[in-house]
Amino acid sequence: MAAWEANVRKVIPYTPGEQPNRADIIKLNTNENPYPPAPGVARVLQKMDTEVLRKYPDPTAGALVSALSERYKMPEEQIFVGVGSDDVLAMSFLTFFNAKEPVLFPDITYSFYDVWAGLFHIPYECQPLDANFEIVTEDYLKPCGGIVIPNPNAPTGAEKELAQLERIIAANSDVIVIVDEAYIDFGGESAVRLISEYENLLVVQTFSKSRSLAGMRIGYAFGNEKLIKYLNDAKYSFNSYTMNTVTIAMGVEAVRDEAYFQETVGKVIATREWTKRELQRLGFVFPDSKSNFIFASHPKYPAKELFEALKQEGIYVRYFAKPRIDNYLRISIGTDEEMKALIAFLDEYVGENI
């Protein structure tokens, strides 16, 4: 090792889902929304004057914060925006997790949490999910340096009851509790309504899933005014201009079209429920998903085998070669036609042994 490498901050990076460069595939591996964003988003692109691009964007993303404030009935001072929820979460780790005690989060969860902890030299402990892939409330009722609860969880899709989340938040008033709600719009109960009662609560959401803007990178958080000020202080010390002008304008249009939002979310939910029934018919087992994906296993067919067979067919799902979950596939919910194609293939592959 070269001498200069001794001072390099070394981390094992997050591994995103595969983005295949292949035509005519069914892409069900990265939890993207199968439907286009709200029509107003396209109009922004059509009408955008390139003159605005030579100027710096609004560092506060004021128009987007205002639109979120109106939609969620939340004061602007209680809203933080960033470049995707990954940016919001990373900034939150950097800002709030500075204690000597470990931060707590599940052992089976979004695999970026331990990456940020490692990057920022934050001590952490993973709390094991139970045999049903449920978060155990009592594991988070102990001294710690902070807590992160994804709800619904990924990659399992399971939701934690809000009453149990509140127990965790109330029992940890001396540290920040982050509830990561990337998938909340697909059937879960949001913790946003608890913000007025608990000053240690930060709720993070995203435009990537339910608002079909994964490619534009918009995330946001709700918390009391003091938390949001601390986050903005850290953000402006890191990079004042994190969100570009076009993204801000698109985000505003996506938030304002509530009817389209409800329509597309409703489609995903309906297709998810149909897919659950079909997978159960084929002998798959899975936690009850409240997200836009299903975390499924088959007792007779190894997940790795199914993953490879589906890939050969041009159907991409997500496989995790990790302890406890290496016999599960995470299947994103696509259009009705895409999910019917998935089930038709599985019907041939596993149907004879039903």
Side-chain angles (χ1 to χ4, degrees), residues 8-27:
V8 173
R9 190 184 298 273
K10 302 177 184 70
V11 294
I12 299 174
Y14 169 75
T15 303
E18 184 178 0
Q19 297 288 355
N21 185 19
R22 174 180 170 185
D24 301 321
I25 66 165
I26 295 176
K27 190 170 183 294

Side-chain angles (χ1 to χ4, degrees), residues 221-236:
F222 300 110
N224 74 65
E225 293 181 21
K226 188 181 293 186
L227 285 187
I228 300 305
K229 181 183 183 304
Y230 284 138
L231 268 178
N232 276 315
D233 287 347
K235 168 188 171 181
Y236 296 142

